[in-house]
Amino acid sequence: QSITFSLQNLQAGHNQISAIRLKPKQLMKLTMCNLEFNKINDFVAIQKLAYACPNVEFLTLFNNPITMKPHYRLLVIYLFDKSRKEQEQQQVQQQQPLNDCLRILDYQRIRIAERTKAKKWSQSKVGMAVLAQ
């Protein structure tokens, strides 16, 4: 059994966070998540965050080691879009409204072109190899 929380805004910057231990849909109401200046270093943590918080619109991972990895932005955008689409399919059946998708990453707006590029990248050999890790 999973516990869900009604938290909407999480300010957890400037801590020593290196891992995310959340279950899918645990923070459904979270729309703003600030994790800047922590020690997040792997995409598994981002994937868990995306599935635990599919309604996040504003995400800040600025100055975490993960931001230095190749294709960081594309992968984060792809993971949140993927979790969002899966959530939408479930919500249509339950007729519950969802918030907008991830719109701001590290204080930069995500444009349609970047979202399209993230989807194409995820289907490329490089993207599939990174996602398989």
Side-chain angles (χ1 to χ4, degrees):
Q1 183 175 350
S2 179
I3 298 172
T4 58
F5 301 96
S6 60
L7 186 67
Q8 293 179 340
N9 186 335
L10 177 63
Q11 296 289 340
H14 298 272
N15 287 288
Q16 300 294 313
I17 298 170
S18 61
I20 295 174
R21 292 177 179 91
L22 294 170
K23 292 182 170 55
K25 303 183 204 172
Q26 198 165 20
L27 293 171
M28 289 296 293
K29 295 187 180 190
L30 191 71
T31 58
M32 195 276 187
C33 184
N34 179 352
L35 293 169
E36 66 185 358
F37 292 93
N38 279 295
K39 295 186 176 188
I40 298 170
N41 194 30
D42 64 18
F43 289 115
V44 172
I46 304 306
Q47 186 172 20
K48 287 181 182 181
L49 184 66
Y51 281 90
C53 319
N55 289 318
V56 167
E57 297 176 37
F58 306 95
L59 175 63
T60 305
L61 296 166
F62 182 74
N63 216 342
N64 275 278
I66 196 168
T67 62
M68 304 316 271
K69 292 191 176 190
H71 311 291
Y72 152 75
R73 275 186 70 86
L74 296 177
L75 187 55
V76 172
I77 293 166
Y78 170 75
L79 289 173
F80 271 85
D81 283 356
K82 182 180 178 204
S83 74
R84 175 75 182 177
K85 284 186 176 125
E86 290 174 11
Q87 187 63 33
E88 281 176 346
Q89 290 171 353
Q90 293 174 4
Q91 297 294 35
V92 165
Q93 296 169 354
Q94 298 172 5
Q95 298 180 346
Q96 294 176 351
L98 288 172
N99 294 339
D100 290 335
C101 56
L102 183 64
R103 298 184 301 146
I104 307 287
L105 176 59
D106 297 333
Y107 306 107
Q108 292 182 316
R109 184 168 205 77
I110 298 170
R111 307 256 182 236
I112 293 172
E114 190 173 22
R115 218 174 274 289
T116 303
K117 185 177 178 181
K119 185 175 181 182
K120 286 181 182 176
W121 174 84
S122 72
Q123 297 166 348
S124 71
K125 287 183 182 181
V126 173
M128 287 191 280
V130 171
L131 290 168
Q133 295 176 357

